[in-house]
Amino acid sequence: MRIILKLFKTFHHNTLIQNRRYLLGDGALRIQSYLSHCQDYQSNYDDARRETFMAEMKDKLTTGDVVLKDELKTMIHLVKTDEDVNMCIQMAKQFQKVKYQLQQRYDFFFGPVFMRMLHHSKKADIAFMLMEDRKGLRNLLFHLTAVVIYMDLLFEAGKYEQVVKCYEELDRAQKYKHLPLRNHMTLALAALYKMNSPQALEKATNLVQVTYHNSKRITSPRTRAYAAALALNQIEALSKMVDRNDDPQIKQTFTDTKTDLKQAQLVNDVSIFDKLCDTIHNSRPDNEHIQNLQDKRGRLVRDHHRY
């Protein structure tokens, strides 16, 4: 309960920040970098050379010959059609099979660039199939950066439960326990927000609470803002939780928070999700009233910065 109230305070405070974007940008996904490399590859492959390359790769898949690293990298950057995507997958399987048989270590991480290809091609179902196949390409593709791109692809396709499941799997894995999974968690909380149910609110609260008590991890402001936005959307369920609580301080804080949000003109008809996912230009709060609230609750602001 106290964690949720902290989320309200965080959301309240961060709404003052202007001109900030909250969704993962290209700095995290690097789709534009992939497309730039695609242009470089494709400029070196005119129609005749591309046709020759494709024919050679089809022969290798038919005969079971070794698919080289550079050939797979080239194919990933030449993809244009659904048939190309399928061929790329078959080449990756052949490449992985030979590497496994020879017991050679990978000297290039194919996961991120392969997942960028699937993201750009909007192949969420294919990506899900490949990542769920524990005996297939998952071992070749699995990489924390690739997983961020994968989760974003699932999110864009509206597969919110799968996004959350993917994060929970990472969170349970012991080898990732002390790694910064901030972007992964942001996508998970955004997915829970879109699910918008009491169960999603409970799960979001648990995720943030566990991270809050883990000194090795830090939740980003936008992650906490998604959780706070979900709490706002589930305000009736949260009110019932407060009513069942015996702590008068919690009840008073909840009441004050709702009142403050309204008086500061932070409650309007604009979608909270739109606010979180785009640059904040409009709906500026009453700055004088905000200053009075901050003077009145300086301790709460300091608590936020410690959080």
Side-chain angles (χ1 to χ4, degrees):
M1 179 61 66
R2 294 184 184 276
I3 292 293
I4 281 292
L5 293 176
K6 281 180 177 288
L7 292 174
F8 269 108
K9 298 162 191 171
T10 301
F11 183 67
H12 178 192
H13 180 73
N14 284 339
T15 311
L16 302 179
I17 301 174
Q18 303 296 318
N19 301 323
R20 176 168 182 153
R21 300 188 66 85
Y22 286 86
L23 277 182
L24 297 188
D26 196 62
L29 303 177
R30 297 187 62 192
I31 303 297
Q32 292 303 315
S33 176
Y34 163 74
L35 295 178
S36 177
H37 283 96
C38 285
Q39 290 181 346
D40 293 339
Y41 273 88
Q42 292 169 12
S43 66
N44 293 322
Y45 281 78
D46 56 21
D47 291 342
R49 188 182 179 190
R50 187 178 193 279
E51 185 175 344
T52 299
F53 174 78
M54 293 295 185
E56 291 175 351
M57 295 305 103
K58 288 179 181 178
D59 286 342
K60 284 198 171 190
L61 292 176
T62 301
T63 61
D65 286 349
V66 176
V67 173
L68 302 177
K69 177 186 70 174
D70 288 342
E71 291 173 336
L72 179 54
K73 287 176 65 176
T74 298
M75 187 64 212
I76 291 173
H77 291 92
L78 292 182
V79 166
K80 291 183 178 180
T81 66
D82 289 350
E83 183 180 356
D84 293 342
V85 173
N86 183 62
M87 187 174 182
C88 195
I89 293 172
Q90 298 308 313
M91 288 177 62
K93 289 180 178 179
Q94 184 70 6
F95 172 81
Q96 182 187 38
K97 178 181 178 181
V98 173
K99 279 285 188 180
Y100 178 77
Q101 290 175 343
L102 297 178
Q103 295 183 345
Q104 294 181 354
R105 294 177 61 87
Y106 298 121
D107 56 357
F108 178 82
F109 293 112
F110 275 99
V113 66
F114 199 98
M115 203 56 66
R116 290 182 187 110
M117 179 270 291
L118 293 178
H119 193 295
H120 177 65
S121 303
K122 301 185 186 304
K123 301 298 183 182
D125 290 334
I126 291 178
F128 179 74
M129 176 188 67
L130 296 178
M131 291 295 279
E132 288 296 304
D133 185 1
R134 309 289 166 145
K135 297 182 180 180
L137 280 183
R138 178 185 172 92
N139 291 332
L140 176 67
L141 302 180
F142 199 89
H143 182 280
L144 286 182
T145 299
V147 174
V148 167
I149 302 167
Y150 169 62
M151 291 175 66
D152 188 82
L153 173 58
L154 293 179
F155 182 84
E156 293 296 327
K159 300 180 182 298
Y160 306 125
E161 291 185 3
Q162 294 170 3
V163 173
V164 176
K165 179 183 176 183
C166 184
Y167 175 79
E168 289 176 331
E169 183 179 340
L170 281 180
D171 192 50
R172 286 194 301 267
Q174 189 62 39
K175 63 180 178 179
Y176 303 124
K177 279 292 184 182
H178 303 305
L179 293 179
L181 301 175
R182 297 180 68 176
N183 288 335
H184 305 76
M185 190 175 184
T186 295
L187 286 165
L189 267 294
L192 287 168
Y193 172 86
K194 294 293 277 187
M195 291 165 68
N196 192 26
S197 67
Q199 294 77 16
L201 175 58
E202 181 179 1
K203 185 165 291 189
T205 304
N206 291 336
L207 288 178
V208 174
Q209 188 170 18
V210 168
T211 308
Y212 175 65
H213 291 297
N214 184 344
S215 60
K216 298 290 186 179
R217 289 191 185 172
I218 302 175
T219 54
S220 67
R222 58 184 173 180
T223 300
R224 299 195 298 272
Y226 276 120
L230 174 58
L232 286 170
N233 273 0
Q234 292 291 314
I235 197 75
E236 182 178 349
L238 188 59
S239 295
K240 292 180 180 179
M241 291 170 64
V242 173
D243 289 340
R244 291 195 300 268
N245 196 284
D246 296 330
D247 190 334
Q249 182 180 355
I250 287 180
K251 292 185 177 182
Q252 187 60 48
T253 301
F254 180 70
T255 301
D256 292 344
T257 300
K258 290 197 298 182
T259 301
D260 292 343
L261 287 172
K262 292 180 180 179
Q263 291 181 350
Q265 301 176 15
L266 295 176
V267 179
N268 54 47
D269 295 330
V270 179
S271 166
I272 295 175
F273 192 73
D274 290 339
K275 284 285 189 182
L276 292 175
C277 296
D278 209 342
T279 303
I280 301 175
H281 290 299
N282 302 314
S283 303
R284 295 187 177 184
D286 182 340
N287 290 330
E288 182 179 355
H289 184 75
I290 290 295
Q291 185 61 54
N292 290 336
L293 290 176
Q294 290 179 344
D295 291 342
K296 175 182 176 183
R297 298 187 177 182
R299 180 179 61 81
L300 299 182
V301 174
R302 290 192 297 274
D303 285 346
H304 157 66
H305 287 294
R306 286 197 295 269
Y307 182 76

